[in-house]
Amino acid sequence: METIELNKRQELIIQIVKDNGPITGESIADRLNLTRATLRPDLAILTMAGYLDARPRVGYFYTGKTGSQLLTEKIKKIKVKEYQSIPVVCDENVSVYDAICTMFLEDVGTLFVVNKDGILVGVLSRKDLLRASLGKQELTNIPVNIIMTRMPNITVCLKEDLIVDVAIKLIEKQIDAVPIVKETEKGFEVVGRLTKTNITKVLVDLGNDEMI
Ligand code: ADP
């Protein structure tokens, strides 16, 4: 898989640098019968994408990295904070009925449950709420803290974590979302949400070459 679609001129530039590097921008321009200014955007793209490297007063040289190596490097740099969503939380004392309403109104598949200090105490998924609805009990009388998955069994992540590490956790734990948290003296404060949809967006952006 190619990281970016290179045009003919960019392919030619790579070949020239491969054969002659280190080589100055001026010399590359001469070989192509172009001005340095015309060449500048292409050189910027090739350097940003990682095909070429530039050293001051030395010139351009070929990094030797393939498209898929560059893509892997790029993926391994993407952080949670670049793709996070706003979290939807509910209080631990609300009823299962109210949680179902919140889930519908907010259009999310996972609710994060917090205590009166706003600290993460649990997670509620669609299936948790469906399971509770199967019983004969009145849903307005069951507080969510009875049916939620609770701390310390919650998988969390930090804003600075790598997306790929969170993706691995989602697969391993077979869950759809993780709360993004900030550590405080009282516990984890919920500051965001990372879901399978966010991770799908990464794939779409990579496919559209929007992350050169
Ligand atoms: P669903 O069950 O609606 O498909 P999930 O696959 O996300 O949604 O949830 C499966 C189970 O894992 C549920 O019981 C849920 O409470 C729990 N769960 C969801 N997210 C987390 C998380 N981040 N950490 C720990 N448990 C979670």
Side-chain angles (χ1 to χ4, degrees):
M1 194 196 296
E2 282 293 321
T3 315
I4 52 166
E5 201 70 36
L6 299 179
N7 64 32
K8 275 248 149 50
R9 188 150 81 197
Q10 290 161 351
E11 299 274 11
L12 217 54
I13 294 170
I14 291 181
Q15 197 54 50
I16 291 171
V17 178
K18 232 186 218 177
D19 296 341
N20 305 283
I23 177 170
T24 62
E26 204 67 54
S27 309
I28 303 171
D30 282 349
R31 281 166 194 264
L32 292 170
N33 274 329
L34 296 167
T35 66
R36 177 81 179 81
T38 314
L39 212 57
R40 197 163 287 134
D42 288 324
L43 287 172
I45 287 171
L46 293 173
T47 315
M48 264 194 294
Y51 289 98
L52 303 183
D53 215 342
R55 288 212 195 108
R57 287 181 298 278
V58 178
Y60 291 89
F61 59 93
Y62 180 59
T63 59
K65 288 177 183 164
T66 62
S68 62
Q69 275 175 318
L70 293 167
L71 184 64
T72 308
E73 277 181 16
K74 202 192 291 179
I75 291 170
K76 286 187 175 164
K77 281 189 196 139
I78 308 169
K79 293 195 171 173
V80 163
K81 64 180 178 189
E82 296 169 56
Y83 281 88
Q84 66 184 24
S85 300
I86 295 167
V88 179
V89 299
C90 74
D91 187 274
E92 62 179 332
N93 295 312
V94 303
S95 66
V96 168
Y97 181 87
D98 285 340
I100 293 173
C101 293
T102 305
M103 199 173 260
F104 267 99
L105 290 172
E106 301 284 350
D107 197 15
V108 289
T110 310
L111 295 177
F112 303 126
V113 186
V114 295
N115 66 16
K116 62 175 182 359
D117 296 323
I119 298 301
L120 178 70
V121 291
V123 171
L124 283 171
S125 75
R126 277 176 287 217
K127 242 179 273 159
D128 294 332
L129 294 171
L130 276 176
R131 199 183 303 115
S133 309
L134 288 174
K136 295 268 183 288
Q137 254 180 298
E138 183 57 52
L139 296 184
T140 46
N141 292 336
I142 317 172
V144 289
N145 61 18
I146 294 188
I147 65 150
M148 68 189 187
T149 301
R150 61 189 61 248
M151 284 295 275
N153 300 323
I154 309 292
T155 303
V156 301
C157 72
L158 303 170
K159 273 176 186 277
E160 295 297 326
D161 285 347
L162 297 177
I163 288 258
V164 69
D165 290 334
V166 180
I168 291 168
K169 284 188 196 176
L170 291 181
I171 302 279
E172 279 178 0
K173 310 265 178 181
Q174 298 189 8
I175 51 177
D176 294 343
V178 292
I180 305 166
V181 299
K182 197 169 93 183
E183 290 187 85
T184 72
E185 279 174 7
K186 290 183 173 173
F188 291 140
E189 194 184 306
V190 182
V191 295
R193 164 171 73 102
L194 198 86
T195 68
K196 286 183 175 171
T197 307
N198 299 125
I199 294 171
T200 307
K201 174 86 170 35
V202 176
L203 193 66
V204 171
D205 285 355
L206 285 169
N208 287 338
D209 290 334
E210 280 172 16
M211 295 167 57
I212 300 168

